[in-house]
Amino acid sequence: MRQSLLRIKKQESINKRIKSKLKKTMRKQSKYIENAQIFSNEEIVRDAEHTDHFIMELIAPQISKHASPGQFVTVKVQENTTEPLLRIPLGIHDNEIKDTNKKGIKLLYKVVGDATFLLSKKKQGETINVLGPLGNGFCLDEILFEKGQTAIIIAGGHGVAPLYFLAKEIIKQREQDEAFKGNVEVFLGAATKEHVICRGAIGKFCSLGTDTIHVATEDGTQGSKGYIPKVVDRYLKKQTTDHCSRSTIYSCGPKPMLAEVARLADKYNIKAYLSLDAYMACGIGACLGCAVSTREGYKMVCKDGPVFSAEEINWEKELQMD
Amino acid sequence: MTGKEKKKTKLNLRIKIADVIFKNPIWVASGTFGYAEEFQDFVELEQIGAIITKTITLNARIGNLPPRIVETPSGLLNSIGLENKGVRHFKKNYYPFLKKCKTRIIVSIAGADIDELKECAGILCRDQAPDAIEVNLSCPNVTHKGAKHRLIAQDADATEKVINALRKTITVPLIAKLSPNVTDISEIAVAAEAGGADAVSLVNTYLALAVDADTMKLILGKGMGGLSGPAIKPMALRAVYDVYGKIKIPVIGIGGVMSGKDVAEFMLCGANAVQIGTANFTAPDIYEKIMREFKTYLSEKKINKAVSIIGRLKGIKA
C-alpha cells in the first residue's frame, strides 16, 4: 500500500514539473533588437587548418536572457548599404559568452556566401544589429524526468551550432534537478576531420560513463567512416524497443540528412525534433516567405519553427525542391 | 519672454486623400507588415500614417510552392502567392487588433474575378468598414481566369470595369494599386480614375526571375516572381512622375523607399503619400528611422507643411 502511495506522489511531482515547463514554452516570447558589441569573432582552426567556421560572441543582454535552445537571431551584416539587403538568420549557439561579467550570445557560422564572408571580417569592438530570439526552439518537455531517458542529438556539419546550446541546457537541467536522470548521445557528422566542430566543447560538460559522443566523417579521417544517419542507424539497431521508446531525437543539418533522420525516427518509432532552414525576409512571421511544406499545409520556419517534429514535414514536397 | 525667442512653427505632416485625413504621408505597404501585430514590439503603430494589411481574398489561399523569396542585387524577389486565411477569418482574428491601433487602417483585397472582389469587399465593409480599401489588381502571382491580359492591371478596360463595380458596392475610399508590368501605366491610372477610384498607388512588383547556375534551375518554386526593394526605386519614381498630372486623383508612391530622402523624392515627383515595403524586412524598426529622416529633411529645407513638396520638382515638368 505504502509503495503505491509513494509511486503516486512521485508521478504527481513529475506531472507538476512537466506542467510548469510546458507553461514556460507556451508563454509569449519577447523579441528584441540590440546593437550588440562584438566581444570576439574567431575562426575555428583545427590542426592549423582553416575550417571556414567562425564563432562570434556578442554582448546582447536581452537576447541572452530570453533565448532558448533552437531559437535563432537575424543579423544585419552591414549598415548603410543595400548589399546585402536582408538580414541573415543564425541559430543561437550559446546564451553565455566567455566574459561572465557580460551577458551575451554566441553564434557559430560557416562562410558560405557574401553575407557570411562580411560577417567573418568583423572585428572585436564593432557593433552589429541583432534581432531575436526568434522562433519556437526545441521542446524540452519531451525529456521526462525519469531515469533512463535519452536525448539523441544528431548534428550534420555546422548544424551542431544550435544543438550545442541544447545539449548544454539538458545537462544543466540534470545537474540542477535530482529527479532528472537522462543522458545524451551526441552524433557529430562531418565531411572530414577539419569539419568536426564542437567535439571538445560538448565533451567538457558531458559526464563520462553517462553521455557519449560519436563522431563520423565521410572520409574516415576522424571517428567512424560514413554518413552520420548510417552511424545512428547502427546505434539504434543495438538498442531495445524499450530504450527507443524512452528516447527523443534532436537534429539539425542539411535537408537530405534531416530527411534520413526522419526516416530513422519513423523506423524505430522515436519522437524526433528537427531544426529547419529557409530563405527568410522578415524573420518575424509577417511576410510568409519562409514557407515549409507540412502535412497541415504551409508553415513558416521563422514563426512556427524552426523546430518541427519529423512526422509533421511533408518530405516528398520538401526534397522535390532541391 | 525676451521677445527674441524663435517662433517655433510646428511641422504639419497631414495629408488628405478622398476626404480622409492621414496624420502623415508615410504608410506601410501591403504584404510587408503582416497584420501589424508582429511589428508592435518594434514600432509604435499609432505613429504610422496608414497601415495597409496583407492582401485578403474571399476564400483562403494556401500560397505558392516554396522557395517563395530570394534576395537579388539590392532587391527582393518574391512569389508568396497571396497566402491568407480569407476575409471571414481576417475579420474575426486580425481586424479587432487593427481597429484598436490609433491610426488609419487600409485593407488590401484581391480576387480572381469581379464577383469575388465585390463579395469580399462587401463582407469586409459590413460591420466596421476600414478607412480605405486598396484593390490589388496587379499581384503577378495570381493566376487570372479568362481575361486577355495576365492581370487586371494590365488591361485598362478591365481596370475601369473592376473599380466601377466596387465603387457601386462600397462607400469607403478606393485605392487602385497598379502594376508596372505594362507599356503605359498612365493609361491604366486614367482608367482607374474613370472607374471611380479615389487614388492610385504605384508600383507593385516587377516581374522578374532568379536563376541558380549551379543547379541550372530557377530558384523560386513558382519560377517567376515580383521584384521589389531599392533596385526598383528609379523605375518606380519614373512611374509616379509619369502618372502625376495625367489624373486628378492623388498618387501614392511605392518602390524601394529606405530613407526619409526617398520619401521626399517620391513626393517631389507627385506622390501625396509614400508606402514603405521591403525596407521593413531589413529592420523591423526602420519606420521610425525613415520618419525621423523625413522630418529632418523638411526642417533643413525650412518646409513646414509636407503637402507643399508634392509635385514640386524644379525645372522641367511635362
Side-chain angles (χ1 to χ4, degrees):
Chain A
M1 185 62 175
R2 201 153 164 258
Q3 285 283 23
S4 56
L5 266 172
L6 278 170
R7 231 181 289 137
I8 290 169
K9 272 206 146 73
K10 189 179 180 198
Q11 191 59 46
E12 269 175 23
S13 99
I14 291 171
N15 288 343
K16 225 196 228 158
R17 249 187 293 250
I18 293 172
K19 257 203 189 123
S20 83
K21 288 273 168 172
L22 264 169
K23 254 206 197 129
K24 219 168 153 197
T25 47
M26 274 171 12
R27 199 193 303 146
K28 187 179 179 191
Q29 294 280 13
S30 318
K31 305 182 188 87
Y32 300 88
I33 295 185
E34 298 192 87
N35 280 315
Q37 196 184 67
I38 298 174
F39 185 74
S40 71
N41 186 22
E42 283 158 14
E43 186 174 9
I44 299 175
V45 177
R46 296 272 331 264
D47 305 326
E49 293 272 345
H50 284 281
T51 61
D52 280 340
H53 290 89
F54 287 73
I55 294 185
M56 180 181 274
E57 293 183 296
L58 294 165
I59 300 170
Q62 297 282 51
I63 298 174
S64 161
K65 181 176 172 193
H66 293 90
S68 298
Q71 290 191 297
F72 67 101
V73 295
T74 62
V75 170
K76 186 93 179 83
V77 299
Q78 206 93 300
E79 294 292 338
N80 301 316
T81 178
T82 59
E83 284 299 313
L85 181 65
L86 300 178
R87 310 170 77 92
I88 54 170
L90 294 169
I92 298 172
H93 179 55
D94 198 350
N95 66 347
E96 289 172 323
I97 60 175
K98 262 190 243 102
D99 184 346
T100 48
N101 292 320
K102 301 195 167 70
K103 301 264 173 275
I105 58 169
K106 282 189 198 160
L107 302 175
L108 191 164
Y109 60 97
K110 183 178 177 187
V111 176
V112 294
D114 296 337
T116 39
F117 175 75
L118 284 168
L119 198 62
S120 69
K121 293 295 169 211
K122 296 213 160 284
K123 305 258 179 293
Q124 181 183 54
E126 286 178 24
T127 344
I128 194 162
N129 191 282
V130 192
L131 165 67
L134 304 175
N136 61 352
F138 289 109
C139 185
L140 288 180
D141 303 286
E142 289 299 316
I143 299 188
L144 301 175
F145 297 87
E146 274 189 30
K147 184 176 179 179
Q149 292 289 336
T150 302
I152 302 173
I153 297 176
I154 308 169
H158 62 282
V160 70
L163 295 174
Y164 168 88
F165 186 14
L166 174 69
K168 203 178 111 178
E169 284 300 300
I170 291 173
I171 291 174
K172 205 198 251 175
Q173 251 181 48
R174 183 173 69 200
E175 286 166 9
Q176 291 171 354
D177 199 325
E178 274 286 301
F180 178 39
K181 299 263 188 322
N183 75 317
V184 295
E185 298 278 337
V186 182
F187 291 83
L188 298 178
T192 75
K193 71 172 188 260
E194 280 76 35
H195 296 97
V196 177
I197 44 178
C198 294
R199 163 76 186 78
I202 295 177
K204 277 205 184 99
F205 52 74
C206 286
S207 274
L208 208 59
T210 312
D211 311 309
T212 317
I213 302 177
H214 314 250
V215 175
T217 43
E218 286 171 50
D219 65 356
T221 47
Q222 187 178 343
S224 339
K225 178 167 187 216
Y227 189 37
I228 200 72
K230 293 266 183 324
V231 177
V232 177
D233 195 1
R234 285 203 293 272
Y235 160 84
L236 289 172
K237 230 178 240 166
K238 295 196 212 128
Q239 309 309 315
T240 60
T241 318
D242 180 55
H243 180 96
C244 288
S245 71
R246 286 182 287 111
S247 298
T248 311
I249 289 174
Y250 298 91
S251 186
C252 183
K255 202 187 286 181
M257 186 206 92
L258 292 179
E260 272 304 301
V261 170
R263 218 185 40 83
L264 286 175
D266 183 53
K267 177 177 171 185
Y268 293 96
N269 202 17
I270 301 175
K271 187 86 182 157
Y273 293 101
L274 314 175
S275 176
L276 298 188
D277 200 356
Y279 282 123
M280 269 180 209
C282 75
I284 58 177
C287 72
L288 308 183
C290 59
V292 63
S293 302
T294 74
R295 307 229 173 264
E296 288 171 4
Y298 291 125
K299 293 217 171 146
M300 298 307 137
V301 173
C302 73
K303 186 176 182 183
D304 306 306
V307 178
F308 293 90
S309 72
E311 64 219 0
E312 232 185 309
I313 303 296
N314 185 332
W315 291 107
E316 238 174 55
K317 281 216 165 129
E318 279 298 299
L319 293 172
Q320 241 172 45
M321 279 158 38
D322 298 323
Chain B
M1 273 281 274
T2 63
K4 285 207 170 193
E5 264 179 29
K6 250 197 193 150
K7 197 172 164 199
K8 230 184 179 179
T9 30
K10 202 176 171 217
L11 201 52
N12 181 350
L13 299 174
R14 282 193 297 279
I15 55 141
K16 190 158 99 164
I17 292 180
D19 295 328
V20 179
I21 308 243
F22 295 83
K23 62 183 81 164
N24 66 61
I26 308 181
W27 304 357
V28 290
S30 176
T32 70
F33 217 69
Y35 299 109
E37 248 178 297
E38 302 87 344
F39 282 85
Q40 59 182 322
D41 284 341
F42 312 107
V43 185
E44 290 241 24
L45 300 177
E46 67 178 54
Q47 64 169 294
I48 303 178
I51 296 174
I52 307 190
T53 69
K54 165 104 189 127
T55 302
I56 53 161
T57 47
L58 178 65
N59 300 311
R61 288 179 55 92
I62 61 169
N64 287 345
L65 191 70
R68 292 176 172 179
I69 51 174
V70 64
E71 186 173 334
T72 57
S74 300
L76 174 66
L77 189 65
N78 94 77
S79 167
I80 310 290
L82 297 183
E83 178 183 323
N84 77 98
K85 297 199 167 82
V87 64
R88 290 176 188 89
H89 182 274
F90 167 78
K91 274 186 84 169
K92 185 164 172 231
N93 297 284
Y94 298 117
Y95 208 19
F97 174 82
L98 285 164
K99 276 282 149 190
K100 278 192 252 152
C101 298
K102 300 189 189 87
T103 187
R104 298 287 184 209
I105 303 298
I106 301 177
V107 179
S108 168
I109 62 170
D113 53 47
I114 293 183
D115 291 324
E116 264 194 36
L117 270 168
K118 280 167 67 181
E119 200 181 340
C120 184
I123 293 172
L124 185 59
C125 295
R126 196 176 294 155
D127 311 301
Q128 239 195 326
D131 295 296
I133 284 183
E134 185 181 71
V135 189
N136 184 348
L137 306 162
S138 46
C139 191
N141 308 310
V142 177
T143 20
H144 193 61
K145 293 192 250 179
K148 181 178 148 198
H149 296 271
R150 264 196 74 236
L151 313 167
I152 302 172
Q154 289 172 326
D155 184 336
D157 289 332
T159 299
E160 184 176 342
K161 206 164 154 212
V162 167
I163 297 296
N164 191 248
L166 281 168
R167 180 76 292 160
K168 295 201 180 97
T169 314
I170 51 171
T171 53
V172 295
L174 268 173
I175 303 170
K177 186 163 178 181
L178 309 184
S179 166
N181 303 302
V182 294
T183 311
D184 181 3
I185 197 168
S186 297
E187 187 198 11
I188 313 293
V190 167
E193 183 182 41
D198 297 288
V200 288
S201 57
L202 53 138
V203 290
N204 203 324
T205 53
Y206 287 81
L207 285 171
L209 282 182
V211 179
D212 185 337
D214 290 324
T215 59
M216 300 197 201
K217 285 190 190 168
L218 291 174
I219 293 178
L220 295 184
K222 211 81 211 289
M224 192 93 76
L227 186 67
S228 65
I232 73 166
K233 195 185 76 170
M235 301 191 287
L237 284 171
R238 183 214 71 91
V240 167
Y241 181 87
D242 192 48
V243 169
Y244 179 69
K246 300 213 174 87
I247 53 176
K248 291 193 185 67
I249 56 176
V251 176
I252 298 157
I254 323 167
V257 173
M258 299 279 291
S259 69
K261 279 216 175 126
D262 291 339
V263 173
E265 286 174 24
F266 275 93
M267 291 183 77
L268 288 166
C269 282
N272 269 55
V274 174
Q275 294 178 19
I276 299 171
T278 304
N280 291 308
F281 303 149
T282 67
D285 59 352
I286 204 170
Y287 184 91
E288 280 167 6
K289 176 195 90 105
I290 296 176
M291 175 54 82
R292 207 171 42 237
E293 289 171 354
F294 181 61
K295 285 180 180 169
T296 304
Y297 166 84
L298 291 175
S299 339
E300 281 175 1
K301 294 265 175 251
K302 298 201 179 19
I303 296 169
N304 293 334
K305 284 186 170 183
V307 289
S308 54
I309 66 168
I310 297 172
R312 283 293 189 263
L313 276 176
K314 294 185 184 160
I316 305 162
K317 176 69 182 97

